[in-house]
Amino acid sequence: MTTHEHRPEDRDHGSPGLQEQAERLGRRMTESAQQVWLAGLGALSRAQNEGSKLFDTLVKEGESVEQRSRDESSRGESIRDTVENTLGQARDRAAGTWDRVERSFDDRVHRVLRRMDIPSRSDIEALNERLDALNRRLTRTESRTAQADAGPEEH
């Protein structure tokens, strides 16, 4: 018999060996899966603990840097103060730019309206004042006329 040939009696004895190997392999895989699961839980726990510790450490370092920046600054400004001042200046410049844009827009609109012979707000206000003055004069004139007409009838 060659080494590749199997005798029938070998097959009968070999079956329990394969089953035993499969069972051992299954146990090892279960144990490995259990160990992987436990390692994952351990890693999660450590990340949670060290994550909060890391956050606390970063806050303390930030406070330290801010204090050092105040101590080192000749004007006593912190980094935060410097950033806030810079942002304030940027806001002021943006507001100034916006004001200039608005004025420029208003000027252009007024020029177009003048070219089209459309009266401005001040023109309309002046006309309203003149109308009010004329109405007052007319009311006084009508009142005098009514008094003059009523006067001779009474005598």
Side-chain angles (χ1 to χ4, degrees):
M1 254 191 187
T2 65
T3 55
H4 296 296
E5 294 177 11
H6 294 290
R7 292 180 288 174
E9 59 268 11
D10 287 342
R11 267 186 289 175
D12 292 340
H13 296 294
S15 291
L18 286 177
Q19 186 167 348
E20 193 176 300
Q21 283 180 352
E23 287 174 2
R24 276 191 305 222
L25 181 62
R27 280 193 302 271
R28 275 192 246 143
M29 288 182 69
T30 302
E31 289 171 5
S32 292
Q34 182 70 19
Q35 286 178 341
V36 168
W37 171 253
L38 293 173
L41 287 177
L44 177 62
S45 174
R46 179 174 280 181
Q48 287 174 334
N49 290 335
E50 291 179 7
S52 62
K53 288 177 190 174
L54 176 63
F55 180 79
D56 293 340
T57 302
L58 290 173
V59 168
K60 286 178 186 173
E61 285 181 25
E63 290 170 344
S64 174
V65 167
E66 185 174 28
Q67 186 58 46
R68 277 195 316 257
S69 74
R70 284 186 183 185
D71 294 343
E72 293 172 2
S73 174
S74 61
R75 297 175 301 200
E77 290 182 341
S78 70
I79 292 172
R80 181 176 36 187
D81 294 337
T82 303
V83 169
E84 286 175 357
N85 288 338
T86 303
L87 286 175
Q89 291 170 358
R91 254 186 252 116
D92 292 344
R93 276 183 276 167
T97 301
W98 185 250
D99 288 342
R100 285 193 305 273
V101 168
E102 278 186 89
R103 279 194 303 271
S104 175
F105 180 77
D106 286 345
D107 290 344
R108 288 181 185 201
V109 168
H110 287 196
R111 281 188 295 218
V112 168
L113 292 175
R114 272 188 254 132
R115 274 190 232 135
M116 296 172 64
D117 288 330
I118 296 174
S120 68
R121 179 186 310 241
S122 60
D123 294 337
I124 293 172
E125 287 173 356
L127 284 173
N128 281 333
E129 288 175 16
R130 288 181 65 194
L131 283 173
D132 288 342
L134 286 172
N135 279 331
R136 285 191 300 273
R137 285 178 63 191
L138 182 59
T139 301
R140 278 195 308 261
T141 303
E142 287 175 345
S143 175
R144 285 186 199 142
T145 304
Q147 285 177 354
D149 288 343
E153 291 178 11
E154 289 180 11
H155 294 283

